[in-house]
Amino acid sequence: VLFRSMVIDMDDETVHVVAGEFDWSFPWAAVRRLIESDAHLVLATGGAEGLPLPRRALATPEAYAALRDFVLAHLPKEAARERA
């Protein structure tokens, strides 16, 4: 396990991730595609870079649906959406 905990903060302009000494921020405009599976949403920013958002990290299906809705509302129009 690389990180025991990860804090993800999303607002209308950016996504900010902190896990241990790892600290990464990127604007929503950097998201090139959204990959959705039964277990995750992945915000892909290019190449092999991306942020997995695990469904199990949210307490309820409703919380996951709210996160998904928030992400979809902030994706750039040109971002591709895939189902894995």
Side-chain angles (χ1 to χ4, degrees):
V1 175
L2 294 176
F3 305 113
R4 291 188 184 267
S5 67
M6 180 181 294
V7 176
I8 302 169
D9 183 35
M10 298 178 183
D11 61 28
D12 288 335
E13 279 83 43
T14 61
V15 178
H16 183 212
V17 182
V18 176
E21 293 183 20
F22 179 78
D23 191 328
W24 182 32
S25 291
F26 56 91
W28 284 104
V31 178
R32 298 290 175 240
R33 76 194 153 126
L34 173 68
I35 304 164
E36 185 173 1
S37 73
D38 292 337
H40 295 86
L41 289 176
V42 179
L43 303 177
T45 57
E49 294 178 348
L51 174 64
L53 305 170
R55 184 182 294 259
R56 71 175 185 266
L58 291 122
T60 65
E62 293 79 17
Y64 183 82
L67 171 66
R68 183 181 181 277
D69 289 347
F70 183 85
V71 167
L72 290 173
H74 289 83
L75 280 181
K77 290 182 174 135
E78 64 276 2
R81 291 172 48 189
E82 298 175 21
R83 179 85 180 140

